[in-house]
Amino acid sequence: GVTIDTGGADLKTGGAMFGMSRDKYGSAVVAGFFKALEALRPKGIKAVGYMCMVRNSIGADSYTCDEIIKARSGKRIHIYCTDAEGRITMLDPLTKMREMVLNEKNPHLFTLATLTGHAFLSKGYYASVIDNGPAHEVRFAETIQKYGDEYGQPTEISRLHPEDYAFHEAESECADLRQGNTKPSVQTIRGHQGPAAFLIRASRLDEHGTDSTLPIKFSHIDIGSAMGDYPHVTYPNPLVALLSTGYIKHEINKMKQCERDESSIIRNFDRNTASLQHTNRNRPNSQKLLARKRDSIKHHTRMLMIEHTLVESKGFDVGSSKLRGLLAAFNDD
């Protein structure tokens, strides 16, 4: 949510500041995500988001290199470069989220930011998804990549390694961690993976890894330049991919369940038709029983048709011609 990134005391020069009004794009995706939730109103999902709005400028209140800032987590962070402000901006909200989800069911934390030029150099105009251990165990990055491909918003996957965590070891005895280094990310080895490792260590999410008693899934998404080049029109990337892993995925599963139910209804219809014929042959006076069985089949078929209609109204093409045929047969009687 950096509304304009001048670089701060480590000022961007040589035209590098141009387009930095788009450094708030991570917060823009968060806003879009919640706008989509408002429209779709999915059930069974609890979402909480922070938009970390700041302006990275030079002034009396701006931070500088050589400062040591104590984070919400209690970690002392040694500042090396004021132009690496994004990770510092997200750190305390991420820590608060970690505290909030300790008693939640199956939580998954995210950070989204136009964090590094290194992500753009490495991945081009695609968001890079980086999972911690617990998120990697459920293959979240692979999941968002799969559905992103299906919905036309591809993402790339990056991995964390031990050197990414080690890179942020403090060099000063007065600090617990160092924010980064004095070089731009494009001149730093593994320049977009390191910030994810920093966020994990500085927020104490490293205490909730796969080997802990309370693992917490965390995925860092470096948007880089996935929104497109300034001043051209931006794209809501990776908003659709994010939604596809939750709500749309749920609707797809719902659609598949409808298809399974359709097959089950048709099989039951065939069995009940045979039963009706058998009953009619052996008990010619049991018209009430026949009527109840026919009404039962008709009711369940109508319920499934309603379910299909609801799914179709959300843009899914569900083949239910067989069920329509069954209803037509009933209505003709």
Side-chain angles (χ1 to χ4, degrees), residues 196-208:
F198 168 80
L199 286 167
I200 291 171
R201 291 193 63 180
S203 66
R204 296 186 183 273
L205 273 170
D206 56 337
E207 299 172 8
H208 298 277

Side-chain angles (χ1 to χ4, degrees), residues 75-227:
K75 296 285 187 178
R76 298 168 300 167
I77 312 300
H78 189 181
I79 304 301
Y80 274 56
C81 177
T82 63
D83 200 17
E85 80 292 338
R87 67 198 74 177
I88 298 297
T89 303
M90 294 188 292
L91 175 55
D92 279 358
L94 176 61
T95 302
K96 185 174 181 180
M97 285 289 195
R98 177 188 61 80
E99 297 164 357
M100 289 172 59
V101 303
L102 293 178
N103 296 315
E104 295 289 346
K105 181 180 179 181
N106 193 29
H108 194 149
L109 302 182
F110 297 87
T111 48
L112 297 95
T114 52
L115 208 60
T116 66
H118 189 276
F120 174 60
L121 286 181
S122 302
K123 309 296 185 180
Y125 294 97
Y126 302 97
S128 179
V129 184
I130 306 173
D131 286 342
N132 74 342
H136 179 64
E137 281 198 336
V138 299
R139 298 295 188 266
F140 174 78
E142 286 87 343
T143 300
I144 190 174
Q145 186 177 63
K146 175 180 181 293
Y147 285 100
D149 287 348
E150 290 185 14
Y151 288 92
Q153 203 165 71
T155 61
E156 294 285 344
I157 298 174
S158 291
R159 294 285 304 276
L160 287 171
H161 292 292
E163 56 265 37
D164 299 318
Y165 295 96
F167 180 79
H168 292 280
E169 285 288 345
E171 296 178 306
S172 168
E173 63 180 9
C174 300
D176 299 304
L177 297 168
R178 65 171 182 167
Q179 168 211 33
N181 59 6
T182 58
K183 297 179 180 180
S185 67
V186 294
Q187 297 177 20
T188 302
I189 296 174
R190 300 184 62 79
H192 74 276
Q193 292 94 334
F198 168 80
L199 286 167
I200 291 171
R201 291 193 63 180
S203 66
R204 296 186 183 273
L205 273 170
D206 56 337
E207 299 172 8
H208 298 277
T210 54
D211 58 347
S212 73
T213 57
L214 186 60
I216 296 177
K217 296 187 292 293
F218 167 69
S219 297
H220 172 68
I221 303 178
D222 193 334
I223 298 172
S225 294
M227 81 296 290

